[in-house]
């Protein structure tokens, strides 16, 4: 763990933060256009953590104390990992209308809509990063992992295969709809070397 | 690219066993591969340049527009899954011979096609046939949901069994208590019998002794007062206070006889209450049942409440009287328990319709509205652990039900409670438990 923390030295961390900030700016613009409403994206936070600490790390966040819906979308290529989108259950049917589901919104509509939003959010967050760093990724269809669970029930160390992961946490709020979502991007341990390479390349070019 | 390879790629796109559609930024279809042609029956020539939503109006207003928007705007992938949207294009089922799904189940992906400048110019829509997976998945789902249903059914049956067993236990207990009471009554009957006859004999002997004594006393004036014998006699008479003794002896006998009468009455009540001799469907007098029950539970009631009886002129009804008495006992004891210091229990009987109504009303604590619907549930009790089992009313409910009758309750917290039992005059007999 120490070693990994050292690998992500300050320069590299600053570079990554810079890349991510630009990416979020772009994502915010595109999302606002798509939803035609103001979208608030938080400044992404990084954690580098041991999987065993993951639960504690996540439980610190009050937003995860309530019952939530959890979706995930794996990605692979030069970076490997999973995007996890966590939704609170507010404003879901309004959001469905916003996403172009007309008439009575069935629970299947609602689920598909959440999957849409999940892959939009994860795509928006990652595409900005990958295009700046010239990384190629491919995505698998998102799935609903669980509805009405809590974080503690979900992220238990036994169900996660990696030892260390980098988590990037982004909060998205659609004020008008009381809709809140948190996106967690997990990068697996074996994605660290290629990511560091790309960051170094970028640093050299400056 | 090598011309040969690009020809091969074209061929592959045409032959691939999945649908491929290319849409431009106006949502017009500009390419439609062989898979799509075959399943839709629409030739490529007929589709070129047509708008996706005009050709397939069902897609409108179902979230597809935004999916496409998002791919153009964000360069991400969008998906549909058969689980939440069985199909995007209504194609006949590919597994038409064996298979439950009517239409081809589809998983679809919308991918961005990006030019050198980094703009999304087109979208490639791929359509995969997931009918096979869907069929199996749905079968599994149906199987597991029927399993769950069966398991739930079993659980309810189990619970009912448990309740029934508990009620059986309770009524068995009551029957045992009845039997015990009858047994004890019988055992006590004998000694009480001979004590009773001995007391009667004693009384008549005493009467004769008194006559004798009176005769002696009549002789007193004729005695020599100075004689030692006479003096001793007078002294004894004084020490034992003969006058008081004579009076008290009569009273003692009288009180003993009254006591014995009460014992006999209690014994009779115990017998009436348990009805060991007549545990059959029989016409019986409910007032007699009420009175004997009142006597049996008088210890629970007498310090708590005054009992007011408004007995109407009612005929005998056919019932299992020992069980009906159990109901009366439960209601009376509950009423006494509900009264904190002192109150009134009013018993009213009347003819009502084809039967008789019996109301037992108390001036006790009443039952809060939220508890009212639960009081007939087995094990529902508000009494401290060890003092109430919560079976009394549930058992009473079942007994009244078995008699084709009704038991209802009205209560006002702080004022009191009224239980009303209605019993038909001549119900169809049901087997005795
Ligand atoms: N007359 C009444 N006044 C107020 N509450 C009553 C009255 N009768 C019944 N209840 C309420 O209903 C509950 C259930 O009564 P039930 O006779 O079934 O059980 P119990 O009296 O608690 O226990 P047991 O099995 O010893 O009879 C009581 O605990 C009490 O809260
Ligand atoms: Mg009771």
């Amino acid at each position: 763990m120490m070693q990994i923390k050292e690998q992500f030295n300050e320069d590299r961390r600053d570079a990554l933060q810079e890349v991510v900030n630009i990416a979020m700016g772009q994502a915010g613009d595109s999302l606002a256009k798509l939803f035609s409403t103001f979208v608030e994206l938080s400044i992404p936070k990084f954690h580098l953590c041991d999987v065993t600490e993951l639960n504690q790390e996540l439980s610190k966040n009050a937003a995860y104390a309530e019952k939530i819906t959890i979706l995930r979308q794996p990605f692979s290529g030069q970076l490997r990992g999973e995007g996890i989108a966590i939704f609170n259950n507010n404003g879901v049917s309004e959001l469905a209308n916003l996403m172009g589901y007309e008439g009575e919104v069935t629970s299947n509509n609602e689920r598909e809509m959440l999957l849409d939003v999940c892959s939009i959010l994860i795509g928006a967050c990652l595409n900005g990063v990958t295009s700046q760093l010239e990384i190629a990724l491919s995505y698998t269809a998102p799935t609903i992992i669980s509805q009405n669970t809590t974080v503690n029930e979900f992220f238990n160390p036994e169900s996660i295969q990696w030892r260390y992961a980098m988590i990037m946490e982004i909060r998205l709020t659609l004020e008008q709809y009381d809709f809140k979502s948190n996106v967690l991007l997990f990068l697996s341990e074996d994605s660290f070397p290629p990511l560091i390479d790309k960051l170094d390349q970028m640093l050299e070019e400056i | 690219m090598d011309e040969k390879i690009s020809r091969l790629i074209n061929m592959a796109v045409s032959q691939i066993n999945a649908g491929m559609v290319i849409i431009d930024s106006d949502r017009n279809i500009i390419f439609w591969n062989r898979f799509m042609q075959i399943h839709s029956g629409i030739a490529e020539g007929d589709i070129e340049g047509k708008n996706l939503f005009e050709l397939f109006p069902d897609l409108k207003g179902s979230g597809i527009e935004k999916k496409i928007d998002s791919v153009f705007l964000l360069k991400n992938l969008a998906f549909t899954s058969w689980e939440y949207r069985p199909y995007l294009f209504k194609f006949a089922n590919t597994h038409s011979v064996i298979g439950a799904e009517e239409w081809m189940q589809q998983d679809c992906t919308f991918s961005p096609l990006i030019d050198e400048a980094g703009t999304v110019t087109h979208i490639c829509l791929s359509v995969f046939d997931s009918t096979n997976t869907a069929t199996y998945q749905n079968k599994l789902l149906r199987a597991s949901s029927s399993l769950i249903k069966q398991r739930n059914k079993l659980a309810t049956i189990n619970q009912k069994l448990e309740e029934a067993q508990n009620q059986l236990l309770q009524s068995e207990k009551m029957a045992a208590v009845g039997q015990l009471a009858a047994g004890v009554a019988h055992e006590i009957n004998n000694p009480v019998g001979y004590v009773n006859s001995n007391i009667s004999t004693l009384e008549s002997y005493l009467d004769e002794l008194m006559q004798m004594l009176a005769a002696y006393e009549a002789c007193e004036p004729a005695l020599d007062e100075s004689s030692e014998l006479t003096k001793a006699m007078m002294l004894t008479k004084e020490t034992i206070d003969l006058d008081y003794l004579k009076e008290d002896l009569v009273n003692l006998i009288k009180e003993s006889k009254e006591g014995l009468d009460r014992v006999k009455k209690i014994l009779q009540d115990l017998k009436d209450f348990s009805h060991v001799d007549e545990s059959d469907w029989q016409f019986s007098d409910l007032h007699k049942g009420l009175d004997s029950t009142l006597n049996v539970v008088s210890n629970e009631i007498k310090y708590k409440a005054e009992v007011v009886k408004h007995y109407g002129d009612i005929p005998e009804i056919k019932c299992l009287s020992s069980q009906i008495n159990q109901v009366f006992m439960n209601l009376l004891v509950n009423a006494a328990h509900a009264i904190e210091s002192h109150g009134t229990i009013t018993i009213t009987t009347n003819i009502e319709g084809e039967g008789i109504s019996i109301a037992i009303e108390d001036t006790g604590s009443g039952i809060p509205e939220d508890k009212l619907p639960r009081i007939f549930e087995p094990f529902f009790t508000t009494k401290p652990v060890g003092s109430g089992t919560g079976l009394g009313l549930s058992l009473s409910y079942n007994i009244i039900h078995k008699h084709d009758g009704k038991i209802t309750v009205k209560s006002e917290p702080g004022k009191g409670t009224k239980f009303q039992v209605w019993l038909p005059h001549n119900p169809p007999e049901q087997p005795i438990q």
Side-chain angles (χ1 to χ4, degrees):
Chain A
M1 186 72 179
M2 269 320 287
Q3 231 183 344
I4 291 168
K5 277 218 167 114
E6 273 163 28
Q7 284 182 339
F8 278 96
N9 60 21
E10 222 181 292
D11 282 351
R12 287 169 177 157
R13 274 213 301 273
D14 288 349
L16 185 59
Q17 186 72 54
E18 184 60 30
V19 167
V20 167
N21 289 356
I22 293 173
M24 284 308 112
Q26 293 167 348
D29 282 351
S30 317
L31 289 173
K33 256 186 232 156
L34 183 67
F35 294 131
S36 5
T37 175
F38 183 68
V39 177
E40 195 187 308
L41 281 176
S42 68
I43 293 178
K45 278 192 294 188
F46 291 102
H47 314 281
L48 204 58
C49 78
D50 192 318
V51 169
T52 48
E53 296 161 14
L54 191 60
N55 227 328
Q56 290 176 337
E57 191 68 43
L58 291 176
S59 320
K60 277 188 220 151
N61 189 333
Y64 300 147
E66 302 161 39
K67 290 279 177 183
I68 45 177
T69 301
I70 303 175
L71 299 92
R72 75 145 164 222
Q73 183 172 32
F75 53 86
S76 51
Q78 283 171 293
L79 300 180
R80 233 159 46 87
E82 266 174 48
I84 306 260
I86 303 177
F87 298 113
N88 70 350
N89 296 334
N90 292 340
V92 170
S93 56
E94 289 93 334
L95 194 67
N97 292 332
L98 194 69
M99 289 293 289
Y101 292 84
E102 284 168 13
E104 201 196 330
V105 179
T106 64
S107 64
N108 274 347
N109 289 160
E110 233 172 69
R111 292 192 188 118
E112 192 186 273
M113 187 277 295
L114 288 177
L115 289 167
D116 282 352
V117 175
C118 169
S119 87
I120 286 171
L121 294 183
I122 290 167
C125 297
L126 274 175
N127 282 343
V129 176
T130 54
S131 68
Q132 288 177 73
L133 294 178
E134 292 171 353
I135 293 170
L137 286 189
S138 89
Y139 298 91
T140 309
T143 46
I144 295 179
I145 314 178
S146 61
Q147 283 186 297
N148 287 324
T149 42
T150 60
V151 169
N152 283 337
E153 285 167 295
F154 177 63
F155 289 104
N156 54 351
E158 288 95 70
S159 66
I160 294 178
Q161 290 171 4
W162 313 319
R163 187 78 179 83
Y164 303 110
M166 180 154 79
I167 308 171
M168 189 166 109
E169 191 183 349
I170 305 150
R171 254 193 334 277
L172 167 124
T173 318
L174 297 186
E175 289 247 355
Q176 211 179 325
Y177 297 92
D178 190 24
F179 178 82
K180 286 197 191 69
S181 168
N182 287 265
V183 176
L184 302 171
L185 295 173
F186 290 77
L187 278 188
S188 66
E189 213 178 329
D190 58 9
S191 304
F192 296 167
L195 179 63
I196 287 171
D197 274 357
K198 292 286 182 185
L199 289 172
D200 286 348
Q201 272 176 35
M202 208 184 76
L203 284 168
E204 272 166 34
E205 280 164 24
I206 299 172
Chain B
M1 204 190 288
D2 191 318
E3 202 163 303
K4 202 170 141 203
I5 291 190
S6 97
R7 207 184 64 84
L8 276 175
I9 291 176
N10 272 337
M11 180 75 93
V13 168
S14 143
Q15 289 294 331
I16 197 170
N17 192 19
M20 185 185 279
V21 181
I22 297 179
I23 303 160
D24 68 13
S25 56
D26 293 327
R27 287 43 168 173
N28 289 334
I29 300 172
I30 63 160
F31 175 74
W32 180 256
N33 77 347
R34 220 174 81 101
F35 180 97
M36 295 300 287
Q37 294 164 28
I38 290 170
H39 287 289
S40 69
I42 305 172
E44 199 188 1
D46 295 338
I47 214 115
E48 261 173 73
K50 293 238 169 82
N51 185 282
L52 175 71
F53 294 103
E54 274 166 27
L55 210 56
F56 300 100
D58 284 355
L59 295 181
K60 267 192 255 175
S62 70
I64 299 299
E65 290 111 318
K66 276 279 162 179
K67 274 189 214 282
I68 293 178
D69 290 351
S70 80
V71 179
F72 274 114
L73 263 169
L74 298 159
K75 303 175 198 171
N76 66 326
L77 300 181
F79 303 89
T80 67
S81 149
W82 65 267
E83 275 180 272
Y84 308 121
R85 183 194 297 266
Y87 50 80
L88 209 54
F89 301 100
K90 198 168 184 173
F91 294 161
N93 184 2
T94 41
H95 303 59
S96 51
V97 181
I98 306 159
E101 314 314 321
E102 197 181 352
W103 307 105
M104 180 202 285
Q105 306 287 299
Q106 298 161 358
D107 280 327
C108 304
T109 307
F110 299 77
S111 338
L113 302 179
I114 304 172
D115 68 6
E116 295 80 21
T119 337
V120 182
T121 58
H122 294 84
I123 285 178
C124 172
L125 166 59
S126 30
V127 180
F128 302 96
D129 179 358
S130 308
T131 311
N132 217 6
T133 320
T135 309
Y136 283 114
Q137 182 94 353
N138 286 340
K139 254 192 211 157
L140 262 178
L141 229 88
R142 276 192 290 271
S144 79
S145 88
S146 96
L147 268 179
I148 288 172
K149 243 186 244 156
Q150 262 162 16
R151 192 198 58 194
N152 290 347
K153 223 197 239 160
L154 272 178
T156 349
I157 291 175
N158 244 343
Q159 194 191 341
K160 276 197 190 138
L161 262 176
E162 215 166 279
E163 276 168 24
Q165 196 197 13
N166 283 321
Q167 268 159 19
L168 258 176
L169 264 177
Q170 171 78 354
S171 58
E172 241 165 52
K173 194 175 87 189
M174 292 302 288
V177 168
Q179 221 124 38
L180 190 72
V184 170
H186 185 77
E187 287 301 312
I188 295 176
N189 223 12
N190 281 333
V192 166
Y194 61 72
V195 170
N196 193 45
S197 80
N198 287 357
I199 292 262
S200 297
T201 317
L202 263 178
E203 193 180 21
S204 68
Y205 286 176
L206 197 70
D207 201 38
E208 283 164 10
L209 266 176
M210 290 296 186
Q211 286 174 32
M212 192 62 219
L213 201 61
Y216 278 129
E217 275 180 322
C219 299
E220 266 174 32
L223 293 177
D224 172 10
E225 273 177 40
S226 58
S227 129
E228 284 302 310
L229 272 176
T230 310
K231 272 186 193 156
M233 184 197 78
M234 290 314 266
L235 188 68
T236 314
K237 192 176 169 183
E238 227 164 87
T239 350
I240 64 168
D241 197 353
L242 185 66
D243 288 336
Y244 171 78
L245 205 142
K246 279 200 296 197
E247 218 181 284
D248 204 34
L249 261 178
V250 177
N251 280 339
L252 284 178
I253 293 285
K254 205 174 126 221
E255 276 167 26
S256 299
K257 279 177 81 177
E258 278 168 13
L260 272 174
D261 281 345
R262 266 173 51 204
V263 173
K264 282 198 291 192
K265 177 94 180 40
I266 290 170
L267 290 178
Q268 190 54 47
D269 285 335
L270 273 176
K271 275 195 201 159
D272 287 352
F273 172 75
S274 54
H275 276 260
V276 266
D277 357 286
E278 34 173 304
S279 60
D280 256 348
W281 285 90
Q282 269 177 4
F283 277 93
S284 59
D285 179 355
L286 289 187
H287 291 159
K288 240 171 94 182
L290 276 165
D291 288 339
S292 68
T293 307
L294 274 169
N295 283 326
V296 170
V297 297
S298 76
N299 260 331
E300 302 252 7
I301 295 180
K302 67 182 170 206
Y303 305 110
K304 281 287 198 68
E306 190 191 339
V307 177
V308 179
K309 300 180 197 170
H310 294 302
Y311 284 176
D313 192 10
I314 55 169
E316 296 193 334
I317 62 161
K318 193 164 82 183
C319 62
L320 295 166
S321 49
S322 65
Q323 299 204 352
I324 293 298
N325 286 348
Q326 279 179 32
V327 175
F328 294 154
M329 183 172 82
N330 283 327
L331 296 181
L332 288 167
V333 171
N334 280 350
H337 283 173
I339 292 168
E340 217 166 280
S341 48
H342 204 268
T344 315
I345 297 174
T346 313
I347 306 173
T348 314
T349 60
N350 275 313
I351 294 181
E352 195 187 305
E354 295 291 291
I356 284 169
S357 91
I358 307 103
I360 296 180
E361 193 174 359
D362 64 62
T363 57
S365 58
I367 305 167
E369 207 178 326
D370 60 318
K371 304 253 163 61
L372 211 52
R374 303 199 48 203
I375 57 169
F376 293 106
E377 280 174 22
F379 302 113
F380 177 80
T381 179
T382 57
K383 292 169 191 173
V385 184
S387 79
T389 57
L391 283 171
L393 283 178
S394 121
L395 182 77
S396 303
Y397 182 88
N398 284 335
I399 290 173
I400 300 300
H401 237 64
K402 203 161 63 182
H403 283 76
D404 248 9
K406 274 182 289 215
I407 177 165
T408 54
V409 59
K410 271 193 204 128
S411 186
E412 208 174 316
K415 289 235 168 103
T417 307
K418 181 177 184 177
F419 279 90
Q420 186 120 24
V421 174
W422 181 84
L423 289 169
H425 177 64
N426 194 354
E429 288 179 27
Q430 288 185 37
I432 305 157
Q433 271 187 3

